[in-house]
Amino acid sequence: MVKTLLLLTLFTFSNLSFSQNSGFEEHFYDGKSWKYNVVFLRGWKVLIDINVKPDVSARMQSQLAYNLSLVDTKVPRKHLGYLRSIPIYISNETTYPLRQNEYGSLVFHHSRKWLSEYSLNPNMAISVHIINPKEVLDRHQTLGRAEYVILHELSHSFHFYKIGVEFKPILKAYKNAKINSLYSHCLLYTSPSPRD
Protein backbone atom coordinates (compact mmCIF):
# COMPACT_ATOMS: atom_id res chain seq x y z
CA MET A 1 0.00 0.00 0.00
CA VAL A 2 2.78 2.45 0.95
CA LYS A 3 4.70 1.52 -2.21
CA THR A 4 1.59 2.15 -4.34
CA LEU A 5 0.99 5.55 -2.70
CA LEU A 6 4.64 6.53 -3.17
CA LEU A 7 4.57 5.50 -6.84
CA LEU A 8 1.29 7.33 -7.37
CA THR A 9 2.69 10.50 -5.76
CA LEU A 10 5.87 10.34 -7.84
CA PHE A 11 3.84 9.66 -10.96
CA THR A 12 1.57 12.65 -10.31
CA PHE A 13 4.43 15.12 -9.87
CA SER A 14 6.38 13.76 -12.82
CA ASN A 15 3.38 13.94 -15.14
CA LEU A 16 1.89 17.36 -14.43
CA SER A 17 2.33 18.24 -18.11
CA PHE A 18 -0.22 15.55 -18.97
CA SER A 19 -2.97 17.40 -17.07
CA GLN A 20 -4.43 20.73 -18.03
CA ASN A 21 -7.50 22.66 -16.98
CA SER A 22 -9.77 23.55 -19.83
CA GLY A 23 -12.57 25.35 -18.08
CA PHE A 24 -16.22 24.78 -17.47
CA GLU A 25 -19.17 23.19 -19.31
CA GLU A 26 -22.88 23.18 -18.62
CA HIS A 27 -25.15 20.58 -20.20
CA PHE A 28 -28.91 21.02 -20.57
CA TYR A 29 -31.70 18.52 -21.18
CA ASP A 30 -35.43 18.63 -20.53
CA GLY A 31 -35.27 21.61 -18.18
CA LYS A 32 -32.35 20.20 -16.15
CA SER A 33 -28.73 21.27 -16.13
CA TRP A 34 -25.43 19.67 -15.14
CA LYS A 35 -22.26 21.70 -14.48
CA TYR A 36 -18.73 20.39 -14.89
CA ASN A 37 -15.17 21.52 -14.45
CA VAL A 38 -13.23 20.23 -17.44
CA VAL A 39 -9.64 18.96 -17.40
CA PHE A 40 -7.59 16.96 -19.86
CA LEU A 41 -5.64 13.99 -18.49
CA ARG A 42 -3.19 12.30 -20.83
CA GLY A 43 -5.32 13.34 -23.80
CA TRP A 44 -8.71 12.38 -22.35
CA LYS A 45 -11.40 14.98 -21.70
CA VAL A 46 -12.55 14.57 -18.10
CA LEU A 47 -15.71 16.34 -16.92
CA ILE A 48 -15.95 16.61 -13.13
CA ASP A 49 -19.28 17.59 -11.62
CA ILE A 50 -18.90 20.84 -9.67
CA ASN A 51 -20.44 19.15 -6.62
CA VAL A 52 -17.52 16.73 -6.26
CA LYS A 53 -15.45 17.95 -3.31
CA PRO A 54 -12.12 19.52 -4.36
CA ASP A 55 -10.00 17.04 -2.37
CA VAL A 56 -11.85 14.08 -3.90
CA SER A 57 -11.52 15.64 -7.37
CA ALA A 58 -7.76 16.11 -6.91
CA ARG A 59 -7.25 12.54 -5.68
CA MET A 60 -9.39 11.14 -8.49
CA GLN A 61 -7.48 13.12 -11.12
CA SER A 62 -4.18 11.83 -9.75
CA GLN A 63 -5.36 8.20 -9.69
CA LEU A 64 -7.03 8.48 -13.08
CA ALA A 65 -3.90 10.00 -14.67
CA TYR A 66 -1.96 6.97 -13.45
CA ASN A 67 -4.57 4.50 -14.74
CA LEU A 68 -4.71 6.26 -18.12
CA SER A 69 -0.90 6.05 -18.36
CA LEU A 70 -1.32 2.27 -18.18
CA VAL A 71 -3.82 2.44 -21.06
CA ASP A 72 -1.13 4.27 -23.05
CA THR A 73 1.23 1.32 -22.56
CA LYS A 74 -1.27 -1.39 -23.59
CA VAL A 75 -3.25 0.03 -26.50
CA PRO A 76 -1.71 0.22 -29.98
CA ARG A 77 -1.09 3.83 -31.05
CA LYS A 78 -3.47 3.46 -34.02
CA HIS A 79 -6.39 2.93 -31.59
CA LEU A 80 -5.46 5.42 -28.85
CA GLY A 81 -6.92 8.35 -30.80
CA TYR A 82 -10.34 6.72 -30.88
CA LEU A 83 -10.26 5.81 -27.18
CA ARG A 84 -9.19 9.36 -26.31
CA SER A 85 -12.30 10.65 -28.09
CA ILE A 86 -14.43 8.98 -25.36
CA PRO A 87 -15.00 11.48 -22.53
CA ILE A 88 -14.85 10.50 -18.87
CA TYR A 89 -17.43 11.93 -16.46
CA ILE A 90 -17.00 12.01 -12.69
CA SER A 91 -20.03 12.74 -10.50
CA ASN A 92 -21.97 11.90 -7.38
CA GLU A 93 -25.27 10.24 -8.32
CA THR A 94 -28.22 9.51 -6.07
CA THR A 95 -30.44 8.08 -8.82
CA TYR A 96 -27.97 5.60 -10.35
CA PRO A 97 -29.13 1.97 -9.87
CA LEU A 98 -26.12 0.56 -8.04
CA ARG A 99 -26.01 -3.12 -7.12
CA GLN A 100 -26.39 -4.35 -3.54
CA ASN A 101 -23.35 -3.35 -1.44
CA GLU A 102 -22.06 -1.17 -4.27
CA TYR A 103 -21.60 2.49 -3.40
CA GLY A 104 -19.62 3.69 -6.41
CA SER A 105 -18.80 2.32 -9.82
CA LEU A 106 -17.23 2.81 -13.24
CA VAL A 107 -19.48 2.18 -16.23
CA PHE A 108 -19.71 2.80 -19.95
CA HIS A 109 -22.91 4.53 -21.02
CA HIS A 110 -24.24 4.08 -24.54
CA SER A 111 -27.95 4.91 -24.24
CA ARG A 112 -29.29 8.47 -23.95
CA LYS A 113 -32.73 6.97 -23.27
CA TRP A 114 -31.52 4.85 -20.35
CA LEU A 115 -29.66 7.81 -18.81
CA SER A 116 -32.74 10.00 -19.12
CA GLU A 117 -34.96 7.36 -17.51
CA TYR A 118 -32.72 7.46 -14.42
CA SER A 119 -32.61 11.28 -14.31
CA LEU A 120 -28.95 11.26 -15.37
CA ASN A 121 -27.34 13.54 -17.93
CA PRO A 122 -28.21 11.99 -21.33
CA ASN A 123 -25.22 13.79 -22.84
CA MET A 124 -23.08 11.16 -21.10
CA ALA A 125 -24.05 8.63 -23.77
CA ILE A 126 -20.91 7.16 -25.30
CA SER A 127 -18.73 7.95 -22.31
CA VAL A 128 -17.14 6.38 -19.27
CA HIS A 129 -18.74 7.46 -15.99
CA ILE A 130 -17.11 7.30 -12.57
CA ILE A 131 -20.04 7.31 -10.16
CA ASN A 132 -19.57 8.45 -6.56
CA PRO A 133 -15.79 9.00 -6.81
CA LYS A 134 -15.09 9.03 -3.06
CA GLU A 135 -16.60 5.56 -2.78
CA VAL A 136 -14.67 4.37 -5.85
CA LEU A 137 -11.42 5.65 -4.33
CA ASP A 138 -11.89 4.80 -0.67
CA ARG A 139 -14.50 2.11 -0.07
CA HIS A 140 -14.10 -0.03 -3.19
CA GLN A 141 -10.58 1.13 -4.19
CA THR A 142 -11.57 0.17 -7.70
CA LEU A 143 -8.90 2.05 -9.63
CA GLY A 144 -6.14 0.89 -7.28
CA ARG A 145 -7.15 -2.78 -7.08
CA ALA A 146 -8.13 -3.12 -10.74
CA GLU A 147 -5.71 -0.79 -12.51
CA TYR A 148 -7.02 -1.61 -15.98
CA VAL A 149 -10.72 -1.11 -15.21
CA ILE A 150 -10.68 2.19 -17.12
CA LEU A 151 -9.35 0.31 -20.16
CA HIS A 152 -12.12 -2.24 -19.67
CA GLU A 153 -14.79 0.49 -19.74
CA LEU A 154 -13.22 2.26 -22.74
CA SER A 155 -13.12 -1.10 -24.52
CA HIS A 156 -16.92 -1.25 -24.46
CA SER A 157 -16.98 1.74 -26.79
CA PHE A 158 -14.47 0.13 -29.14
CA HIS A 159 -16.51 -3.09 -29.06
CA PHE A 160 -19.89 -1.41 -29.70
CA TYR A 161 -18.88 1.26 -32.19
CA LYS A 162 -15.68 0.15 -33.95
CA ILE A 163 -15.76 -3.63 -34.36
CA GLY A 164 -19.40 -4.42 -33.51
CA VAL A 165 -21.04 -6.51 -30.82
CA GLU A 166 -21.11 -9.63 -33.00
CA PHE A 167 -17.32 -9.66 -33.53
CA LYS A 168 -16.64 -13.40 -33.62
CA PRO A 169 -13.22 -13.49 -31.90
CA ILE A 170 -14.67 -11.71 -28.84
CA LEU A 171 -17.72 -13.99 -28.74
CA LYS A 172 -15.42 -17.02 -28.97
CA ALA A 173 -13.12 -15.71 -26.22
CA TYR A 174 -16.10 -14.97 -23.96
CA LYS A 175 -17.54 -18.46 -24.49
CA ASN A 176 -14.13 -19.99 -23.75
CA ALA A 177 -13.78 -17.91 -20.57
CA LYS A 178 -17.18 -19.08 -19.32
CA ILE A 179 -16.51 -22.75 -20.14
CA ASN A 180 -13.11 -22.65 -18.42
CA SER A 181 -14.27 -20.61 -15.39
CA LEU A 182 -11.75 -17.88 -16.13
CA TYR A 183 -13.97 -15.27 -14.48
CA SER A 184 -13.53 -17.06 -11.14
CA HIS A 185 -10.18 -15.24 -10.83
CA CYS A 186 -11.73 -11.77 -11.25
CA LEU A 187 -12.15 -9.44 -8.30
CA LEU A 188 -15.61 -8.45 -7.13
CA TYR A 189 -16.47 -4.81 -6.54
CA THR A 190 -17.36 -5.58 -2.90
CA SER A 191 -14.30 -7.50 -1.73
CA PRO A 192 -10.56 -7.77 -2.33
CA SER A 193 -10.87 -11.54 -2.79
CA PRO A 194 -11.67 -13.36 -6.07
CA ARG A 195 -15.15 -14.60 -6.87
CA ASP A 196 -16.27 -17.91 -5.43
Side-chain angles (χ1 to χ4, degrees):
M1 179 70 170
V2 172
K3 182 179 174 184
T4 301
L5 288 174
L6 178 60
L7 288 173
L8 189 57
T9 302
L10 290 172
F11 174 82
T12 300
F13 288 113
S14 67
N15 285 286
L16 290 177
S17 63
F18 289 103
S19 173
Q20 69 181 49
N21 288 332
S22 182
F24 175 82
E25 281 188 22
E26 187 168 6
H27 297 184
F28 300 93
Y29 179 79
D30 200 27
K32 298 175 191 162
S33 72
W34 295 267
K35 298 175 182 176
Y36 303 96
N37 293 312
V38 179
V39 298
F40 283 85
L41 297 175
R42 302 195 64 86
W44 272 269
K45 182 179 183 179
V46 180
L47 297 96
I48 306 165
D49 187 285
I50 63 167
N51 295 311
V52 172
K53 292 182 179 179
D55 65 312
V56 174
S57 176
R59 288 190 305 127
M60 179 55 78
Q61 288 179 62
S62 178
Q63 179 69 57
L64 189 55
Y66 171 74
N67 292 88
L68 290 171
S69 76
L70 298 177
V71 173
D72 285 345
T73 67
K74 296 295 181 188
V75 175
R77 293 276 167 234
K78 65 182 181 178
H79 299 303
L80 266 177
Y82 173 77
L83 291 182
R84 284 188 174 133
S85 75
I86 306 303
I88 300 169
Y89 286 81
I90 301 171
S91 63
N92 295 311
E93 301 294 349
T94 58
T95 60
Y96 191 85
L98 295 167
R99 297 172 285 194
Q100 184 176 356
N101 297 319
E102 183 180 47
Y103 302 94
S105 188
L106 282 82
V107 298
F108 174 76
H109 292 302
H110 65 92
S111 170
R112 288 180 61 85
K113 182 177 184 257
W114 185 92
L115 287 161
S116 181
E117 287 171 359
Y118 284 94
S119 299
L120 299 166
N121 178 2
N123 295 307
M124 291 191 296
I126 311 180
S127 76
V128 171
H129 187 190
I130 300 173
I131 302 156
N132 303 338
K134 184 173 184 345
E135 302 299 334
V136 168
L137 287 168
D138 297 337
R139 185 182 295 228
H140 298 307
Q141 301 175 0
T142 311
L143 292 167
R145 288 184 15 219
E147 293 179 326
Y148 291 98
V149 69
I150 196 75
L151 176 58
H152 169 90
E153 297 305 333
L154 290 164
S155 295
H156 288 302
S157 177
F158 196 82
H159 185 194
F160 292 152
Y161 300 107
K162 290 299 260 183
I163 60 176
V165 294
E166 297 300 321
F167 187 62
K168 292 197 185 317
I170 289 179
L171 295 174
K172 183 178 177 184
Y174 176 72
K175 183 178 180 182
N176 180 58
K178 294 290 277 184
I179 290 169
N180 293 297
S181 301
L182 298 180
Y183 289 112
S184 65
H185 302 290
C186 295
L187 293 175
L188 283 170
Y189 60 91
T190 56
S191 161
S193 57
R195 297 177 192 219
D196 297 327

